[in-house]
Amino acid sequence: MVSRLSLLRFTILKKYAQIALPNTYELTPHGRDTMNIFQTLSAQDFFANYWQKQPVVFRQAIKNFQSPLEPDELAGLACEEDIESRLVLETGGEKPWQALSGPFEESRLSKLAESGWSLSVQGADRILLEVSALLKYFRFLPAWLLDDIMVSYAPDGGSVGAHIDNYDVFIIQGQGKRRWLLGGAPQYDEEYHEDLDIRLLKEFAPKHEWELEHGDILYIPTRFAHHGIALGECLNYSVGFRAPTDGELIRSLANWAIENDLPERFFSYSASGAQGSASEITADSLSQIKNHMKAYIDSEHFTQWFGQHISEPKTFFAPPEQEEQLKEAQLESLMSEGAILIPSEGLKRCWSAAPSPTLYIEGERICLPEGSSAALVQQISDCDLLSHKEVSSFSPEVNLWPTLCELCNKGYLTLSRD
Ligand code: SIN
Ligand code: CO
């Protein structure tokens, strides 16, 4: 049997075509709709017993699941520049478990063997609105924790080997079946095979075995060893959530503080007398230093840093090409004639209410006009679309047109005249 990947080019990429609103996904001004994947288990049970504790399978979590991507389309994406893709060749490469990064030549993918490989595309939520729409099943977690959605395809027997990931992942069985073997506890002292392109575990003693069918979801907590083997042709959506480390957060905060050239706050030592040994770092001194640093963490700078840090995308944002910069009056007039604004696929947006309502997009703090309410900031952060009606409902108290114009010119919002 010849591999099914016939490499039809994917044609509805927004970058290459006019915006096409997918009819499977209802866009709403209030956006971020929620679908429940919990059936016998509740969200409370999940957080109490499974989240970052144990893997669990949600059987038929998405009834009649329609995969937004076909394997051929995934292969098409893996041939595109600016899209991160990977091919893992367990066999048939120059060495076992060879990992190759895309973009791939169509001829390379069409020569793939019947089995022994796996193809994946990262950040698919930032490529297709229909893939980012899958996030509606995961609204029980904060959107800012999302890492990305990876889509992977493997022919019968294909896998990426037994490994550990540094993030929590929900794997939706999009097409076909996959057998999953999982460890019983998080691992931190693992050893890897040497001289391989990918980090594969030297030892793996699975405690769980599950067969996932179309529409099932498997949750794998951070650092649980796992190995998923395709049973027939198989397509998965891996919805990954970040588990940032102390080091990552501290480095980012320190860099942010340096880049933003904040006024220095000097530590002020206080004492009621001389200490016994001048060279001792006393418990009281440590407590004073901790309080000094805590004051920084409690300040508004901390919220600003976190909003910018956590809204930073994992994959580069490529603004759609625009012939010319929009002007406010032009935007208002086009929207009054029916044009709407649509956020880019998978645009990283979040907001915070305190110390004042603030919007963060793609690692940027977006200044909103004076007097903007939390409801307004939330709407821009959550909406699937903005029409003239929504924008006018905020005016005249708040003139949002300059901000919207800026967001359009940065490519974060796209004007659709259809
Ligand atoms: C895959 O879908 O290729 C495997 C995903 C994973 O194990 O993280
Ligand atoms: Co994994």
Side-chain angles (χ1 to χ4, degrees), residues 163 165 167 226:
H163 65 279
D165 294 318
Y167 47 80
H226 55 279

Side-chain angles (χ1 to χ4, degrees), residues 118 150 152 160 163 165 167 171 178 180 226 236 238:
S118 178
M150 175 184 89
S152 63
V160 290
H163 65 279
D165 294 318
Y167 47 80
I171 302 184
R178 196 183 273 266
W180 285 96
H226 55 279
N236 293 100
S238 299

Side-chain angles (χ1 to χ4, degrees), residues 265-338:
R265 288 182 314 125
F266 293 94
F267 170 67
S268 147
Y269 176 71
S270 74
S272 54
Q275 64 181 53
S277 160
S279 59
E280 184 186 357
I281 300 168
T282 63
D284 179 61
S285 301
L286 276 176
S287 145
Q288 288 189 39
I289 284 286
K290 276 188 198 161
N291 287 339
H292 177 77
M293 300 201 69
K294 271 191 206 143
Y296 187 85
I297 291 196
D298 290 341
S299 74
E300 66 191 54
H301 297 316
F302 190 84
T303 320
Q304 287 177 10
W305 156 71
F306 186 69
Q308 285 188 238
H309 169 73
I310 213 69
S311 64
E312 248 168 41
K314 186 175 151 193
T315 50
F316 171 71
F317 175 77
E321 273 172 35
Q322 292 184 54
E323 282 145 32
E324 59 187 64
Q325 297 275 295
L326 265 177
K327 305 259 178 346
E328 281 166 46
Q330 205 183 356
L331 177 65
E332 186 170 359
S333 136
L334 287 166
M335 286 184 70
S336 69
E337 287 159 18

